[in-house]
Amino acid sequence: MKISLSKNPSKYGVLLVNLGTPDEPTPKAVKKYLKAFLSDTRVVEIPAFIWYFILNGAVLPLRCKKVAKAYASIWTEQGSPLRVIGEQQAESLSHLLKDKHEVDLTIELAMTYGNPSISAKLDLMKAKGIENILVLPLYPQYSATTTAAVFDKLNQSLAKVRNLPEIRFVKDYYQNPLYITALAQSIKEFWQQKNKADKLIFSFHGLPKVNIEKGDPYFEHCEYTAKETAKTLGLSDNEWMMTFQSRFGKQEWLQPYTDKTLEQLPKEGVKSVQLICPAFSADCLETLEEISIENKEIFIEAGGSGFDYIPALNNRADHINVFEDIVVKNLTNW
């Protein structure tokens, strides 16, 4: 099957975008990254004149060394796992489109914060003569804090471009059947190796509750993903649950909290758990350190005996098939 394009394939490009990563696991690099990330009003909605002093006077000075140490614990010889896996995903998608659809498209990876930047990748595509760009944020569930932040950075990068490329932007893919199937299959394969635990936990990245009250659909998207995956696996209601991790600050976030849940479950007779983080398209600090190390310690210290983290879909073939499906649907007859 070939993708039907109205122009030469060399005029098309796909930009995969993930959150970002520091260039190095050092306090200096982490400070630069966190400052860019936490200065985004999409991420932190506290009034800017107040947040400026909190961020620069307390958050960055207190957190950079700790966060750098956490990054160092997961850093690989190739670099940050998020970036390494993202590059693998881009390469795999390129090969799949070439082999299956006989089109040689430019597939690039960019980060909302840090390197490689969206601006740099757009410049690269412009230099290649690309006129049509499909932007695919690697967030299955939409949130203004993530996907909309990509849209903002995209607009900022194009603000001074005189001859604009044509853009298509993917808002979400939490309902994509191939995505749900890939999640379920990854869990099944894990069970074949480790057997089922007492409880399967879908741990999504947290969000301030007020964001949902203002209209962010993130909770609904997470709930759909968890329910449909559990349904595909044939799980009863008492075999799985949904929680939210990575909260920051003193305000109320989406509940139940992952860490507090792991403290409580052993008291309720749940001695073994397996966690999967469907909101993350690639393993990163929040999965490899926060979940696999910090939250495991919380559960074991609370009396649990078995804790496993089920890896993100990463560069699995069925995950790349999800991207392929999105690309084909958006590029056909464009």
Side-chain angles (χ1 to χ4, degrees):
M1 176 182 177
K2 293 184 179 180
I3 300 176
S4 177
L5 300 171
S6 61
K7 302 176 183 177
N8 186 298
S10 65
K11 300 295 183 180
Y12 295 83
V14 178
L15 186 63
L16 306 179
V17 186
N18 215 322
L19 187 74
T21 174
D23 292 328
E24 299 175 327
T26 63
K28 182 179 179 181
V30 167
K31 182 178 181 180
K32 180 180 179 182
Y33 166 70
L34 286 182
K35 187 169 185 177
F37 172 46
L38 296 176
S39 294
D40 192 334
T41 54
R42 286 286 195 182
V43 177
V44 180
E45 297 186 16
I46 297 173
F49 70 94
I50 296 176
W51 180 240
Y52 175 85
F53 292 103
I54 297 174
L55 176 63
N56 293 281
V59 176
L60 293 178
L62 294 175
R63 289 181 61 86
C64 287
K65 288 185 178 180
K66 180 181 178 181
V67 175
K69 184 177 179 180
Y71 268 110
S73 71
I74 67 164
W75 213 260
T76 70
E77 291 184 2
Q78 293 77 31
S80 168
L82 182 70
R83 185 185 299 166
V84 172
I85 294 168
E87 290 171 347
Q88 293 171 348
Q89 292 170 333
E91 184 177 0
S92 295
L93 178 59
S94 177
H95 288 317
L96 180 59
L97 292 171
K98 188 182 299 183
D99 295 342
K100 189 174 179 179
H101 301 279
E102 300 179 16
V103 290
D104 190 5
L105 301 178
T106 294
I107 314 290
E108 296 289 344
L109 171 72
M111 301 294 179
T112 311
Y113 315 100
N115 297 308
S117 69
I118 291 175
S119 179
K121 291 299 183 176
L122 289 175
D123 287 344
L124 177 63
M125 288 182 163
K126 180 181 178 181
K128 289 185 175 182
I130 293 173
E131 299 173 354
N132 299 63
I133 302 174
L134 174 65
V135 181
L136 173 54
L138 298 180
Y139 308 114
Q141 300 80 21
Y142 172 90
S143 172
T145 61
T146 52
T147 310
V150 174
F151 190 83
D152 291 347
K153 291 291 184 182
L154 181 69
N155 284 339
Q156 291 169 14
S157 299
L158 292 172
K160 296 182 180 180
V161 174
R162 187 170 298 278
N163 186 13
L164 290 172
E166 190 168 336
I167 300 287
R168 287 191 178 181
F169 189 90
V170 179
K171 180 180 178 182
D172 56 59
Y173 55 94
Y174 72 99
Q175 295 188 83
N176 188 300
L178 294 179
Y179 165 64
I180 299 297
T181 299
L183 284 173
Q185 184 59 32
S186 72
I187 295 168
K188 287 179 182 178
E189 292 175 8
F190 194 87
W191 285 344
Q192 291 172 358
Q193 300 173 8
K194 294 271 190 172
N195 295 320
K196 289 171 65 175
D198 295 338
K199 186 82 71 173
L200 174 66
I201 301 176
F202 295 90
S203 180
F204 293 87
H205 196 287
L207 202 66
K209 186 178 178 181
V210 67
N211 290 36
I212 303 301
E213 294 170 350
K214 289 179 178 179
D216 198 302
Y218 180 70
F219 179 85
E220 295 177 5
H221 291 190
C222 293
E223 189 175 46
Y224 180 94
T225 296
K227 285 184 175 180
E228 287 301 308
T229 304
K231 180 181 177 181
T232 302
L233 292 168
L235 296 178
S236 60
D237 290 344
N238 66 346
E239 290 181 292
W240 69 276
M241 67 184 303
M242 181 173 73
T243 62
F244 296 90
Q245 64 187 79
S246 311
R247 67 187 184 280
F248 175 78
K250 296 182 179 180
Q251 63 184 318
E252 183 180 357
W253 284 48
L254 292 176
Q255 296 190 40
Y257 300 139
T258 298
D259 55 355
K260 297 300 182 183
T261 298
L262 292 172
E263 286 180 354
Q264 182 63 29
L265 284 178
K267 301 174 185 177
E268 300 174 358
V270 177
K271 298 299 182 180
S272 63
V273 296
Q274 290 166 341
L275 277 75
I276 188 167
C277 302
F280 297 93
S281 59
D283 277 317
C284 55
L285 186 70
E286 288 83 357
T287 63
L288 299 176
E289 198 278 334
E290 181 185 352
I291 292 296
S292 300
I293 299 175
E294 289 185 26
N295 281 266
K296 179 179 181 179
E297 290 177 357
I298 290 172
F299 184 70
I300 299 302
E301 289 177 3
S305 57
F307 181 104
D308 290 302
Y309 166 64
I310 301 174
L313 294 177
N314 293 326
N315 197 35
R316 287 173 57 101
D318 51 6
H319 194 204
I320 305 306
N321 288 340
V322 178
F323 300 158
E324 174 217 358
D325 181 63
I326 295 170
V327 170
V328 170
K329 288 177 179 175
N330 278 277
L331 259 61
T332 297
N333 297 320
W334 184 15

